[in-house]
Amino acid sequence: MKGTKGKPVYLDASQPIDKRIEDLISRMTLEEKVGQTVQYSTFQEKDEALIRQGLIGSFLNVIGAEQTNKIQKIAVEQSRLGIPLIFGLDVIHGFKTIFPIPLGIASSWEPDLAKQTASVAAAEASSEGVRWTFAPMVDIARDPRWGRIAEGAGEDPYLGSAMARSYVEGFQGNDLSKHGTLVACAKHYVAYGGAEGGRDYNTVDVSERTLRDVYLPPFEAAVKAGVGTIMSAFNDLGGVPASCNSFTLTTILRGEWGFEGFVVSDWNSIRELINHGVAATPSEAAKKAFEAGVDMDMVGGVYQTCLVQLVKDGEVSEKTLDAAVRRVLRIKFKLGLFEHPYVELGMSSKVIKRKEHVALALEAARKSIVLLKNKEPILPLKKDVKTIAVIGPLADNQPDLLGCWSFTGEPEDVVTILDGIKRKVSMKTRILYSKGCELEGTAKTEFEDATKKAKEADVAILVVGEGRFITGEASSRSTLDLPGVQDELVKTVFETGVPLVLVLVNGRPLSISWVAEHVPAILEAWHPGIQGGNAVADILFGDYNPAGRLPVTFPRTVGQVPIYYNYKNTGRPASSERWTSKYIDLPVTPLFPFGHGLSYTNFEYSNLRIVPDRIKVNGKVKVTVDIQNVGARKGDEVVQLYIRDVVASVTRPVKELKGFKRITLEPGEKRSVEFTLGLEELAFTNIDMKRVIEPGAIEVMVGKSSEDIQLKGKFEIIA
Ligand code: GLC
């Protein structure tokens, strides 16, 4: 077909995308169609010939405008149809301006912050030729042994859905064809965080109801937000691996949700169907995955080597292939790659690490830090303290503050916590530094030095936690203790009697029971990104009033795992009675609960209104509460709304987060906060596996955390 000015329709930007897709598909050979389902990682000279023949559709891990332009030129100017490549990369929490890890961003309970950081990451990455990010990771995680808990938004589907929506909006903007945007990829579809034993890549076996009420909601939120791609997960899912599970990939994703983007496998996860034991050969693996709904093979090479023959043999219909190719091409057209396949050279120098990006990194780090404990209160510290001892393997450490998935970041861009403190205190203040020990291992070489300096100080600030590479992918831990001899370092410094503040730099909840009992003040900083040092110092010395809240439960010991706030009541809820659901050697309550976080000021909750107090199943309830800052400092409060469906056709959690708002109040200021509860918030998967609202009583709880409920009420749903 010819478009205007004699151009083929598919090259005519004035034509509707669907028309251009059909024209292009009609011109493609079988081999070229399969080429669009093939993704390579990094580029080698030998790949040129395949690109020229139209046999590769995408690359990941190719970075740099010069490099991507060079490779793109081969595809666009030297292949028969000139179909552009799409370059993907893991831009998870920043590209060059590295933000706190996603678990930290989730601790802000501010979805708009996630959106802003994603938008900056998109601007920076796209200036270097990337147009597709393998983010947001939206896996619900209830097991902190799983290293990838660092990459997501924690244990709750409602908070996780809000974050998923905002990340997609931030990465994709409102027009993917605009430069500075990335097509997003909600991953890892699905229930990857449910790995048994918290062991990465391990088996997941959850009920369909748990799948629908816990693991799927953030993906549905991402799809509703218009996410362009989805990544299928590594894990087995109830006997059918996620990368060949037609129930999740087609029945739910496309059938129920109407997802129109494309699905890319995780790294080699299609070929790994052979390891799972559901395919005997690469060809069988390719057929299973392709027919289940995986459109692109990330570096597995099985689509590349098997799909053409499968179609020729009638094993896979060309119609199915066309459908997959259509979905890939639609994203390429939406990105504007046919009109603008190249990146403007030199753009990155105008975009990367601009001062407003770095300022956002500071804001994000400040908002993500959680004040876990502040007895006496010892914090905030005075800036003219005479002598401060800063101790710990993460105090003067740049690379580890970047966190997992920060390979494009530069350690030298990180402000260390030691530097942040040095910049904050008065000229007269003496700062003594000791590493104390290594992040891992048994050596106590600097314990003596740490002890000596603690004894000379008026206050000691301990900075301990996890190196970035024992969090994230393939980093499951069998314990949640501080690694190495850091626990002993804390005890050694504690025994000097110096007033003590502890800063955690980590990527997962840690079972810091001894620390929580003995150390008067604890800050959870997560891996805070390039501005971590300044943000921690701002909070330690009172220039910023912390308001972060935990998006995950902190267990007392790993023996409590899995432990999460939205648990079921059981027939024998834990009590002092022996014959109830509990441990005989440990309380069932967590060390720090979901939603927990303190402030340097205080907030009072009053005047809960629930209107109306009876609704029909399709009705809405408005819940309003008054919040007053009754302290002497301005501060943020994260007002949390939980519900409990008291009696239903299936067991329901003892509470579920169904609303939250982070508000800023001046001292004395009082404000009404309003929530609406409707279908979105009240529906659940009932006995017939249908998403419905059932009649009955709904308890309403409003508070500062899942445990610190301030006001209660209820309303009735009538048939
Ligand atoms: C990895 C991860 C996935 C990532 C992909 C590409 O194995 O599971 O999250 O996006 O490969 O790097």
Side-chain angles (χ1 to χ4, degrees), residues 347-417:
M347 160 84 87
S348 59
S349 60
K350 295 180 218 148
V351 171
I352 281 175
K353 288 188 295 188
R354 291 165 58 154
K355 64 181 188 322
E356 54 268 37
H357 294 180
V358 176
L360 182 62
L362 174 58
E363 181 192 351
R366 282 170 168 172
K367 288 185 170 178
S368 63
I369 292 172
V370 184
L371 179 56
L372 294 177
K373 183 180 175 186
N374 190 22
K375 280 277 172 278
E376 287 136 34
I378 187 172
L379 289 177
L381 301 172
K382 295 202 178 332
K383 293 178 183 175
D384 59 359
V385 173
K386 204 155 146 295
T387 305
I388 300 176
V390 181
I391 300 168
L394 285 156
D396 189 22
N397 179 321
Q398 288 181 297
D400 288 301
L401 269 62
L402 290 172
C404 60
W405 285 120
S406 55
F407 305 110
T408 51
E410 314 287 350
E412 55 270 22
D413 291 336
V414 174
V415 176
T416 68
I417 290 171

Side-chain angles (χ1 to χ4, degrees), residues 60 90 134 148 187-188 231 234 266-267 298 405 473:
L60 75 145
D90 293 282
F134 305 122
R148 305 200 77 167
K187 70 183 185 182
H188 306 79
M231 182 184 291
F234 289 117
D266 202 339
W267 186 284
M298 181 187 281
W405 285 120
E473 187 172 355

Side-chain angles (χ1 to χ4, degrees), residues 40-43 59-71 86-91 94-96 98 121 124-132 134 182 343 345 348 352 405-410:
Y40 267 38
S41 176
T42 61
F43 170 76
F59 276 88
L60 75 145
N61 298 333
V62 175
I63 308 169
E66 293 77 6
Q67 179 72 336
T68 55
N69 282 352
K70 177 189 145 205
I71 301 164
I86 179 170
F87 293 99
L89 185 72
D90 293 282
V91 185
F95 180 68
K96 286 291 179 188
I98 302 295
E124 293 193 351
S126 56
S127 76
E128 288 290 11
V130 177
R131 291 307 312 277
W132 179 19
F134 305 122
L182 299 176
V343 188
L345 295 179
S348 59
I352 281 175
W405 285 120
S406 55
F407 305 110
T408 51
E410 314 287 350

Side-chain angles (χ1 to χ4, degrees), residues 250 283 444 483 512:
T250 298
S283 182
K444 300 182 187 177
I512 49 165

Side-chain angles (χ1 to χ4, degrees), residues 143-266:
D143 189 330
R145 290 173 292 182
W146 190 53
R148 305 200 77 167
I149 195 168
E151 300 175 46
E155 71 191 46
D156 179 67
Y158 186 83
L159 178 62
S161 299
M163 289 295 168
R165 192 176 307 123
S166 295
Y167 275 117
V168 170
E169 291 167 357
F171 284 126
Q172 299 192 163
N174 49 27
D175 178 354
L176 269 180
S177 67
K178 290 255 180 316
H179 219 78
T181 61
L182 299 176
V183 62
C185 180
K187 70 183 185 182
H188 306 79
Y189 191 70
V190 60
Y192 180 31
E196 286 178 358
R199 263 184 29 230
D200 206 357
Y201 317 118
N202 201 12
T203 303
V204 176
D205 205 338
V206 292
S207 68
E208 183 184 337
R209 183 166 292 106
T210 299
L211 193 65
R212 288 183 176 278
D213 286 350
V214 175
Y215 294 99
L216 284 170
F219 285 96
E220 187 174 8
V223 169
K224 283 183 178 163
V227 72
T229 68
I230 294 267
M231 182 184 291
S232 69
F234 289 117
N235 54 282
D236 181 5
L237 179 57
V240 183
S243 288
C244 69
N245 192 312
S246 61
F247 176 63
T248 51
L249 289 163
T250 298
T251 307
I252 294 179
L253 184 61
R254 298 195 189 283
E256 293 181 16
W257 300 347
F259 175 61
E260 293 186 341
F262 73 83
V263 175
V264 62
S265 76
D266 202 339

